[in-house]
Amino acid sequence: MNFDKIDREARKILRRNDRGGYTVPTAGLYPYQWNWDSCFAAWGFSTFDVKRAWFEIHTLFTGQWDNGMLPHIIFHKRADGYFPGPDVWDVPRVPHTSGISQPPVAATMIRSIYEADKRYGRVHMELIYGRLVSWHRWFIKNRMERGMIAITHPWESGRDNARDWDKAMANIDPTGVGEYHRRDTDHVDPEMRPKKEDYDRYLKIVYHNRDCGWNEEKIAKTGLFRVADVGITFIFLRACRDLLHIALELDHETAEIEGWIKDLEAGVENHWNPKGFYDSVDLKTGEFTDSLSSASFFEWYSGMSGDRMLGHLNRILDEVKFGVPSNDPEDEHFNPKRYWRGPVWGMVNTLIGIGLDEQGHIKTAERLRKETQELIAEHGFYEYFSPLDGAPEGGDVFTWTAAIWLTWAGPHAKGRF
Ligand code: 2M8
């Protein structure tokens, strides 16, 4: 295997998906700047072009709202081929954005980019710090419930059609969404994408929240979907720890962030499903979602050290050829092809693997890293892969897959933040 060639290919993909200051996840299927994809892109760039990495971050934050929210898509310039575009979201600001957020990996990635070159990064870190804090405050003010972080749309989780949302989605009546033309299935095999019944509900929630004027208080009272996402709680807890680290480094006040960390650490307990795993909670019904997804394995990445998910992780790794599937293979709805209901995602493995490594589970972390390396080296820089045979799925020439090759999965990667 010519790993140098694959390294070069990964760098080329980041350059190729660069639209002048921001990186698209992949041409065609996702032609705009996505929040967490962009953070992974910046982290990837930081391995060979730290200036470009910071540029990505600043461009992302041009989309930040006055209330601190960092949207999940920034529509810098009009592009064909994606639905729902800026007209559907109807957010009255420039650059146009969507009206919801995404997993807050930014503080963690930015810390790493800063550490790649502190001399160059110092002034950028100072500039971006306040913006990061205001995004974190937005989560605390609008989304924290019992120490867990709520999402108001499945797209905010980044795991769009995960099993976690099935019960909550079934409670939404999709009547009235009308006709629309999905563009994703023009690019990718429909078997690998969410179903129409999911899209109807995705749109119903967007229309409702848009009719609330994207007002978080109104959405909290009348919203159709409100689930405490175990993935976001873990990711946010980790991000708060990294934000604290940055605050100390820059000599800023830390009490507020320390308070958030304490509340989140307590909140993690509310994600513990007595059936024996970390789970999301439907805040409208108070019920656990009863689904064991890959997000439950962010336990270590979040900095919690209970090893409570270790048994399930070892079991699942033995049940599939390539870990970690986005859904438990023993679940009756497990589907190795359909998006977030079974396939393996390289960036998810990265977060899980880094957490495992940090907490001393070196062998398991290495196993996961090698499996991810093999997936990419054998099949290419795809969006996701089958956990059963590694078959490539979704979009090709994918930004975050290239980024994590350079930062974690590839043989020349540092393998940590
Ligand atoms: C997927 O989500 C978008 C909506 O945000 C979509 O399917 O249209 C998810 O995998 C999400 O996590 C990701 O950020 C995005 C772009 O890669 O695609």
Side-chain angles (χ1 to χ4, degrees), residues 159-163 165 193-194 198 202 338-341:
R159 301 179 294 119
D160 305 6
N161 65 340
R163 273 276 288 119
W165 328 127
R193 294 288 305 176
D198 300 312
Y202 295 154
R338 201 178 288 282
Y339 215 34
W340 289 94
R341 299 177 79 81

Side-chain angles (χ1 to χ4, degrees), residues 141-246:
K141 174 164 181 258
N142 300 296
R143 301 304 185 80
M144 191 191 251
E145 292 191 29
R146 296 192 290 132
M148 303 180 287
I149 302 295
I151 54 171
T152 59
H153 193 297
W155 284 337
E156 284 195 319
S157 70
R159 301 179 294 119
D160 305 6
N161 65 340
R163 273 276 288 119
D164 312 38
W165 328 127
D166 282 6
K167 279 200 263 176
M169 290 287 265
N171 289 336
I172 298 175
D173 172 9
T175 330
V177 287
E179 291 294 310
Y180 57 92
H181 174 56
R182 274 175 73 170
R183 304 302 303 269
D184 57 321
T185 42
D186 297 345
H187 302 283
V188 168
D189 176 356
E191 294 286 306
M192 296 176 179
R193 294 288 305 176
K195 296 181 177 166
K196 171 164 167 45
E197 65 208 51
D198 300 312
Y199 258 77
D200 284 351
R201 288 169 175 82
Y202 295 154
L203 289 176
K204 185 83 183 236
I205 305 171
V206 169
Y207 297 155
H208 178 90
N209 294 1
R210 183 186 68 189
D211 292 345
C212 290
W214 301 110
N215 177 306
E216 282 290 327
E217 277 166 33
K218 273 194 204 159
I219 295 170
K221 277 198 201 110
T222 67
L224 308 175
F225 181 96
R226 196 168 185 86
V227 181
D229 173 4
V230 66
I232 299 251
T233 301
F234 278 145
I235 287 175
F236 186 61
L237 171 53
R238 168 58 184 253
C240 286
R241 295 189 201 282
D242 290 310
L243 193 64
L244 175 65
H245 189 95
I246 299 168

